[in-house]
């Protein structure tokens, strides 16, 4: 079982700095909710479920410091726009009857434990959809690092692997931030699951060559109609999977479903800094003055999603998550 | 008009080292055909037409040194497997009645001049297919740097831009070697054509958002049935273009058409070193021991190619380039 990205210790939140992985394993010590907001914004922690739990711990730090609850919530909510789990977690803390530090911390801990249990349930539910001997394609990082532990889409792969159903995993490197090559590869190596990293552009030709039986992605927000926002490139994979008649699954906790968002058109898509494209690890790769467009997420319309796997079960089109 | 990548001077071949662009402009001095073979293999020069002309100059160096014609040909032919222009150029030199150095050099110079003229004709023929105000997506580098000058797919974009038809260009960065971000961006900046570099995974969502009117790629080999080998990721773009009902064009000199290759299944696909994926500019990005798969090219079946633009005219499906 691979590392968990968050740890509460002596009134502080320790956070594995995922920007430095796999080269360096560095734990940040976060003492205030502002530290947590900055860590979320800067992507020291990423992955929708992990962001949610980190924000809950951020609220525990705010309560401990006697900060104003509304102000702390607003600061954490502004850290990133697309993943709904962030707002879901803050709403849950806001709904507590008390702003007493121990109560807030207990709730954050509960959310962390629940997320791991939830991911194990997603894994079980999803593994049932994985054919024997499957070659599975995935994108970005949806593993232990993206959650409180175990993972969503990578949790499904883990569970199916534990059941002997997975032959091989292809991990799209996932530019610009290369989470598939840096983080998913790191987790797969630790779990000794056979895999290869690939350039994002290689997914189509692998599918055409019959080397992919199943594609599975996580989600940052799922609209009421099943439209799914996830890491940029996910939509392209869904189109390619449909073209090749390969099942395309989304795995996420039910907290990723946002019944208040009617369709994908209403999901705000974060545009991140150009430097994510123009530089890699501080090395400039684009020419001076090169303009870039860098949307961090895209939306996959529900008709391309064969199933949405949650801890509560597997949903299939037509999706209707409206309250 | 941007830089030409090859220059014959004082009995030596000067070659712009494209591995160092855009950060440094360094000209290699190549004195032997072995130097040229190594430069092709190492991708100091790349792009099917440029490889062809470079190989012809390599033969001129061999003739000048009094080397064995067959041995020199074999060495150059072994440098890279996929682009047919390499073999086409060597065959043309092999067909000369004489191995006299001046005759070989004259033929190499003729091939270089012909390639520029050919690209201008491709540009004219292709520009006629570009709608007014078009937003055009392209991949890899198919410009001056990939040819003897002007370019193939980028030549079409240049010609259409000169005619006032192009609004904007999206350049897929084209992992692993990032030719779209390093080289195409460099050429577009010089030509002052408005553009943005994008992560390869962003192409699908741009198409879905209606931001792409036309996609155009080069080719490393076109089979008799129109199946086209090109930079890895091209096939995915062709599938995405078809899904969104966007025309997908291939632009290449007729020397890229290989009537002896019946279909794409017979085109050898070069698998390049893992380091192209695991490191960028010498910086390791993948974890230690990360396995990768790195096919350099993919094949787009002819049914996804709306038109093949050559200097001899525009071809449309069903293609039949058999002799």
């Amino acid at each position: 079982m691979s590392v968990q990205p968050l740890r509460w210790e002596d009134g502080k939140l320790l956070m594995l700095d995922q920007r430095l992985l796999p080269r360096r394993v560095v734990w940040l010590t976060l003492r205030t909710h502002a530290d947590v907001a900055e860590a979320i914004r800067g992507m020291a922690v990423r992955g929708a479920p992990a962001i949610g739990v980190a924000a809950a711990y951020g609220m525990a730090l705010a309560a401990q410091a006697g900060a104003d609850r509304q102000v702390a919530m607003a600061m954490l909510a502004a850290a990133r726009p697309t993943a709904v789990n962030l707002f879901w977690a803050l709403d849950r803390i806001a709904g507590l009857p008390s702003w007493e530090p121990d109560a807030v911390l207990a709730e954050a801990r509960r959310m962390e434990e629940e997320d791991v249990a939830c991911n194990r349930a997603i894994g079980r539910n999803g593994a049932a959809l994985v054919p024997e001997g499957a070659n599975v394609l995935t994108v970005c990082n949806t593993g232990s690092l993206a959650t409180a532990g175990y993972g969503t889409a990578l949790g499904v792969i883990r569970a199916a692997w534990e059941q002997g159903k997975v032959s091989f995993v292809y991990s799209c490197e996932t530019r610009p931030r290369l989470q598939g090559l840096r983080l998913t590869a790191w987790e797969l190596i630790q779990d000794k699951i056979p895999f290869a990293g690939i350039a994002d552009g290689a997914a189509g030709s692998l599918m055409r060559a019959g080397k992919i039986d199943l594609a599975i992605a996580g989600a940052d927000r799922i609209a009421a109609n099943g439209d799914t926002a996830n890491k940029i490139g996910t939509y392209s994979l869904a189109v390619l999977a449909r073209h090749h008649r390969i099942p395309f699954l989304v795995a996420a906790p039910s907290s990723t479903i946002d019944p208040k968002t009617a369709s994908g058109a209403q999901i705000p898509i974060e545009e991140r800094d150009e430097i994510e494209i123009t530089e890699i690890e501080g090395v400039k790769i684009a020419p001076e003055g090169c303009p870039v467009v860098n949307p961090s997420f895209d939306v996959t319309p529900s008709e391309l999603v064969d199933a949405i796997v949650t801890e509560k079960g597997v949903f299939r089109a037509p999706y209707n998550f409206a309250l």
Side-chain angles (χ1 to χ4, degrees), chain A:
Chain A
M1 189 33 207
S2 47
V3 76
Q4 297 186 253
L6 300 168
R7 207 161 69 213
W8 181 267
E9 221 174 84
D10 300 331
K12 296 182 287 282
L13 180 61
L14 303 187
M15 178 185 283
L16 184 56
D17 189 342
Q18 300 188 32
R19 295 168 298 196
L20 304 178
L21 288 177
R23 291 200 291 166
R24 290 201 291 146
V25 177
V26 172
W27 289 83
L28 302 174
T29 303
L30 308 179
R31 293 182 168 82
T32 68
H33 64 279
D35 290 347
V36 176
E38 180 52 29
I40 293 172
R41 198 202 55 72
M43 294 180 65
V45 67
R46 25 64 54 202
I51 288 172
V53 175
Y57 278 117
M59 290 298 282
L61 289 170
Q64 190 175 266
D68 181 86
R69 183 176 352 195
Q70 292 309 317
V71 170
M73 262 189 76
M75 178 183 285
L76 285 159
R80 293 195 70 193
T82 303
V84 78
N85 314 59
L86 172 61
F87 314 114
W88 170 86
L90 292 171
D91 282 349
R92 189 160 149 180
I93 299 290
L96 289 177
S98 135
W99 184 231
E100 197 271 311
D102 284 350
V104 178
L105 177 59
E107 187 71 2
R109 284 186 194 275
R110 205 151 33 230
M111 288 162 73
E112 183 175 13
E113 283 158 25
E114 282 173 17
D115 188 56
V116 177
C118 171
N119 291 336
R120 294 225 171 238
I122 293 170
R124 270 193 305 278
N125 292 339
L129 306 182
V130 176
E132 291 291 338
N135 297 301
V136 184
L137 179 83
T138 191
V139 59
C140 199
N141 174 266
T142 56
S144 288
L145 294 166
T147 61
Y150 201 69
T152 55
L154 193 49
V156 170
I157 291 172
R158 281 202 162 99
W161 166 256
E162 287 158 12
Q163 295 174 16
K165 288 171 128 186
V166 172
S167 286
F168 201 79
V169 176
Y170 290 97
S171 175
C172 291
E173 64 173 6
T174 319
R175 276 278 284 157
R177 293 183 72 104
L178 298 163
Q179 294 96 331
L181 190 61
R182 297 193 299 109
L183 308 179
T184 299
W186 192 68
E187 293 197 35
L188 289 167
I189 288 170
Q190 287 176 29
D191 280 15
K192 300 189 169 48
I193 300 176
F195 80 102
I198 58 168
D200 299 324
S205 60
L206 286 170
M207 290 185 187
R208 183 160 183 257
K211 293 186 177 171
I212 311 285
D213 303 304
L214 181 76
I216 182 161
D220 290 81
R221 191 184 304 204
I222 299 171
N225 72 343
D227 291 355
T228 296
N230 193 48
K231 180 58 51 200
I232 189 74
T234 304
Y235 169 63
S236 293
L237 294 178
V239 171
L240 288 164
R242 178 58 54 92
H243 182 82
H244 296 90
R245 297 192 174 79
I246 294 166
F248 178 81
L249 310 183
V250 166
S254 59
S255 57
T256 306
I257 299 169
D258 181 15
K260 288 176 284 184
T261 300
S263 80
Q266 280 89 56
I267 300 177
I269 298 297
E270 179 178 10
E271 178 85 20
R272 289 189 63 90
D273 198 302
E274 301 199 346
I275 211 171
E276 292 188 347
I277 304 270
T278 58
E279 294 188 7
I280 293 180
E281 302 274 345
V283 179
K284 180 116 175 164
I285 49 174
E288 204 54 54
C290 176
V292 307
V293 174
N294 183 23
S296 214
F297 302 92
D298 59 26
V299 172
T300 300
S302 60
E303 60 266 26
L304 294 178
V305 179
D306 291 291
I308 295 175
V309 181
T310 75
E311 80 282 10
K312 293 180 177 168
V314 173
F315 298 88
R316 291 182 188 274
Y319 304 98
N320 183 4
F321 299 120
L323 281 176

